[in-house]
């Protein structure tokens, strides 16, 4: 079943820049859908449209059967709980003045009235924080530290822990490993794959790194200058009928 359905989504910035041009796709329940393309092709703009931090000019975005451009404020709050985003730079996503434990509890506090957790349980704040740190394979002593006392990879694991803490249905991963060294990248991608399975999550995995996208995703869309020009699945990336632009991306790696 389709969890997220985009039809001819178009976004123009006030500057006149047409950043996303008639993008259509379905993302199925439980799937990791890849979105690959070089810098500036409109990936993050599309992510922000899905998160509804940008309004679209034309087209429709339907999540769980609900057209999101028509959502009331109350439904929008519900929608925001179901879709979380992880950004490239974990440092800017974490409040430097908050201890890790306080950053971790923040999404829970925001949505606690309407949460119905299946995988985590909340008996006490301390115990909840420990479950989250454990889920992202971090030691419990990090709870009392500040973001600057963590490595980049550890910080990104904290933003992932925040995203999963309210058990969303979909996580938009916008270049989640682009700021990390190669070893941390691999470890974070493996963690994300495990979490998708254990927590029944779906991902939209955005990256300029074709190899990483293909490793993570069952299907991948290729974006160029605001448009989706190709899509392939985990078995036919190297088949001959790939778009010429996809072949160019393959040749770079
Ligand atoms: P990507 O994430 O693929 O690198 P972006 O979605 O960030 O691409 O950007 C797509 C295009 O839109 C680029 O040409 C970028 O310069 C432009 N753009 C991004 N954000 C804005 C903005 N807030 N205002 C105007 N133009 C923007
Ligand atoms: Mg981007």
């Amino acid at each position: 079943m389709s969890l997220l359905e985009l039809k001819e989504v178009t976004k123009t910035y006030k500057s006149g820049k047409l950043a996303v041009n008639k993008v259509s796709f379905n993302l199925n329940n439980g799937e990791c859908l890849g979105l690959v393309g070089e810098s500036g092709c409109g990936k993050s703009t599309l992510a922000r449209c899905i998160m509804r931090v940008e309004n679209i000019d034309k087209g429709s975005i339907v999540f769980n059967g609900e057209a999101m451009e028509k959502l009331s404020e109350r439904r929008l709050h519900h929608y925001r709980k179901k879709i979380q985003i992880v950004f490239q730079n974990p440092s800017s996503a974490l409040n430097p003045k908050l201890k890790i434990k306080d950053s971790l509890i923040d999404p829970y506090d925001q949505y606690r009235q309407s949460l119905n957790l299946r995988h985590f349980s909340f008996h006490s704040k301390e115990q909840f924080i420990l479950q989250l740190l454990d889920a992202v394979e971090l030691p419990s002593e990090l709870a009392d530290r500040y973001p600057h006392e963590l490595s980049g990879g550890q910080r990104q694991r904290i933003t992932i822990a925040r995203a999963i803490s309210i058990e969303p249905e979909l996580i938009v991963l916008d270049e989640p490993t682009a700021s990390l060294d190669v070893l941390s990248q691999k470890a974070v991608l493996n963690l994300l794959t495990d979490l998708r399975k254990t927590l029944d999550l779906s991902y939209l995995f955005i990256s300029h790194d074709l190899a990483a996208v293909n490793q993570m995703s069952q299907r991948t869309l290729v974006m160029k200058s605001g448009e989706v020009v190709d899509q392939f699945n985990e078995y036919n990336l190297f088949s001959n009928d790939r778009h010429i632009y996809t072949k160019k991306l393959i040749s770079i790696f």
Side-chain angles (χ1 to χ4, degrees):
M1 193 198 110
S2 250
L3 181 63
L4 179 72
E5 201 175 334
L6 272 70
K7 279 203 191 109
E8 306 223 323
V9 168
T10 300
K11 167 72 190 174
T12 314
Y13 284 111
K14 286 200 183 75
S15 63
K17 171 76 193 175
L18 174 60
V20 173
N21 190 8
K22 291 190 178 165
V23 167
S24 302
F25 64 81
N26 286 343
L27 191 156
N28 298 321
N29 249 318
E31 175 180 38
C32 177
L33 178 69
L35 178 67
V36 72
E38 64 199 33
S39 183
C41 73
K43 305 181 297 297
S44 294
T45 302
L46 190 61
R48 289 199 296 271
C49 291
I50 293 169
M51 300 309 293
R52 260 203 74 164
V53 287
E54 295 285 0
N55 287 322
I56 59 178
D57 325 339
K58 269 187 286 183
S60 70
I61 301 179
V62 174
F63 181 73
N64 261 335
E66 235 175 339
M68 42 160 286
E69 55 276 14
K70 300 194 184 96
L71 296 182
S72 63
E73 275 305 310
R74 204 173 65 84
R75 288 305 290 171
L76 190 58
H77 186 74
H78 175 76
Y79 177 86
R80 293 232 158 93
K81 184 182 73 184
K82 299 282 183 186
I83 307 185
Q84 291 291 299
I85 188 162
V86 172
F87 295 105
Q88 169 172 347
N89 189 343
S91 305
S92 56
L94 294 174
N95 184 339
K97 296 196 189 108
L98 287 187
K99 282 189 174 173
I100 295 303
K101 61 182 178 190
D102 297 318
S103 276
L104 281 175
I105 203 73
D106 176 53
Y108 179 87
D109 276 344
Q110 217 174 317
Y111 292 103
R112 63 193 313 155
Q113 253 83 28
S114 55
L115 284 181
N116 186 8
L117 297 180
R118 293 185 301 142
H119 300 279
F120 300 115
S121 56
F122 194 98
H123 299 298
S124 67
K125 178 178 161 179
E126 289 69 30
Q127 181 249 17
F128 187 62
I129 301 290
L130 288 185
Q131 286 177 51
L132 292 178
L133 287 171
D134 189 52
V136 295
E137 297 163 4
L138 288 176
S140 54
E141 61 260 29
L142 296 194
D144 282 307
R145 295 206 200 153
Y146 290 93
H148 76 268
E149 298 172 310
L150 271 58
S151 71
Q154 288 174 328
R155 277 197 291 268
Q156 194 59 301
R157 283 167 192 264
I158 297 297
T159 68
I160 293 167
R162 274 169 55 96
I164 61 173
S165 68
I166 54 172
E167 298 188 5
E169 292 179 34
L170 173 67
I171 303 184
V172 176
L173 301 159
D174 190 359
E175 311 235 20
T177 60
S179 69
L180 307 180
D181 64 85
V182 179
L183 276 182
S184 314
Q185 281 184 14
K186 261 195 139 70
V188 168
L189 292 184
N190 287 337
L191 171 72
L192 286 167
T193 298
D194 292 345
L195 288 173
R196 184 170 63 77
K197 291 174 188 154
T198 50
L199 301 177
D200 303 318
L201 297 165
S202 306
Y203 291 158
L204 177 62
F205 180 74
I206 299 174
S207 176
H208 64 273
D209 180 345
L210 185 60
V213 171
N214 198 42
Q215 180 208 322
M216 289 282 290
S217 315
Q218 287 80 58
R219 277 191 307 140
T220 296
L221 310 169
V222 182
M223 213 172 156
K224 180 178 186 289
S225 311
E227 294 177 38
V228 171
V229 295
D230 196 8
Q231 62 171 295
F232 55 88
N233 65 34
E234 53 195 321
Y235 308 109
N236 63 16
L237 166 60
F238 298 104
S239 90
N240 234 338
D241 55 0
R242 290 279 63 75
H243 189 277
I244 183 151
Y245 179 69
T246 312
K247 288 181 177 166
K248 189 184 141 202
L249 289 181
I250 294 171
S251 72
I252 300 173
F253 291 104

